[in-house]
């Protein structure tokens, strides 16, 4: 089943292949990340244990950091080239930076006080906003483009695995 790739950072054509259960297409993989982080934020909101909050925030920060990095390194450049986009991707990058700033404010910090919970809550709200825009605007356009989302998903998963291996423990 042919898949034609072109020069680096040039979109690849859609192939007739379907994503295998082990390697989802790029949009499915990113949606799964969004769902996982949303569930972690829900658990944080319900938690009353300082130790549990600490563990959840560490996991949220790790998931968001890796997710943002694979999007910025691989997904966004491909989407931007395929769509000739000058709005969606730059806006998404700015949103990522705001989320990274909040990650820096809570990562490795003891979860005491209203300020800490408020920062995590605001991070959750920004992530939800960002996810909504990606899922309602960017992903549908990417699906309609000539991008080979299966091949792109494989690249995203490979890079994600590489980055997660750099963390001391995986959750």
């Amino acid at each position: 089943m042919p898949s034609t790739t072109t020069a680096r950072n040039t979109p690849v054509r859609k192939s007739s292949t379907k994503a295998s259960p082990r390697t989802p297409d790029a949009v499915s993989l990113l949606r799964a990340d969004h769902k996982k982080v949303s569930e972690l934020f829900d658990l944080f909101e319900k938690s009353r244990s300082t130790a549990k909050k600490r563990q959840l925030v560490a996991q949220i920060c790790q998931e968001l950091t890796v997710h943002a990095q694979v999007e910025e390194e691989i997904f966004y450049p491909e989407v931007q080239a395929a769509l000739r986009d000058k709005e969606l991707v730059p806006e998404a990058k700015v949103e990522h930076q705001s989320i990274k700033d909040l990650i820096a404010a809570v990562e490795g910090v003891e979860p005491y006080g209203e300020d800490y919970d408020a920062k995590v809550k605001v991070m959750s709200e920004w992530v939800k906003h960002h996810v909504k825009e990606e899922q309602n605007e960017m992903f549908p356009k990417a699906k309609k483009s000539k991008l080979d989302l299966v091949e792109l998903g494989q690249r995203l998963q490979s890079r994600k695995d590489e980055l997660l291996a750099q963390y001391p423990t995986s959750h």
Side-chain angles (χ1 to χ4, degrees):
M1 293 178 233
S3 172
T4 306
T5 55
T6 56
R8 187 168 169 87
N9 285 337
T10 302
V12 287
R13 287 189 291 135
K14 278 187 181 174
S15 75
S16 57
T17 59
K18 295 285 179 203
S20 73
R22 278 189 235 120
T23 308
D25 68 80
V27 169
S28 297
L29 186 137
L30 296 173
R31 281 183 184 273
D33 285 356
H34 293 165
K35 185 176 190 284
K36 183 175 185 177
V37 169
S38 176
E39 291 168 354
L40 292 170
F41 277 122
D42 289 346
L43 289 171
F44 178 89
E45 282 190 37
K46 294 173 186 164
S47 179
R48 296 293 165 249
S49 160
T50 300
K52 185 68 177 170
K53 282 185 175 187
R54 184 183 316 110
Q55 182 266 324
L56 287 166
V57 167
Q59 191 175 358
I60 288 166
C61 291
Q62 176 182 319
E63 293 291 334
L64 289 174
T65 299
V66 169
H67 177 85
Q69 190 166 340
V70 299
E71 279 188 331
E72 290 170 11
E73 287 179 4
I74 300 167
F75 189 70
Y76 288 171
E78 293 286 350
V79 167
Q80 192 162 31
L83 302 178
R84 294 185 171 99
D85 173 66
K86 292 182 182 354
E87 187 178 322
L88 288 175
V89 172
E91 185 178 324
K93 288 179 181 178
V94 170
E95 290 171 352
H96 274 192
Q97 188 55 55
S98 297
I99 294 165
K100 288 175 189 176
D101 292 344
L102 280 170
I103 288 170
V106 297
E107 196 171 35
V109 175
E110 285 301 310
Y112 297 114
E114 295 169 0
D115 227 26
Y116 184 88
D117 286 357
K119 288 174 185 172
V120 175
K121 178 69 175 171
V122 169
M123 184 178 5
S124 171
E125 290 169 356
W126 284 1
V127 168
K128 284 176 188 166
H129 167 80
H130 176 73
V131 164
K132 183 178 175 185
E133 286 188 350
E134 278 189 346
Q135 293 188 170
N136 294 341
E137 296 176 44
M138 189 182 294
F139 292 174
K141 288 180 180 182
K143 283 183 167 186
K144 290 178 186 173
S145 75
K146 295 188 184 309
L147 284 170
D148 180 343
L149 294 175
V150 173
E151 185 273 341
L152 196 51
Q154 291 166 345
R155 288 172 43 209
L156 288 170
Q157 187 62 59
S158 175
R159 182 64 175 136
K160 187 176 170 184
D161 292 345
E162 220 176 82
L163 292 169
L164 288 171
Q166 295 174 8
Y167 283 86
T169 56
S170 190
H171 302 281

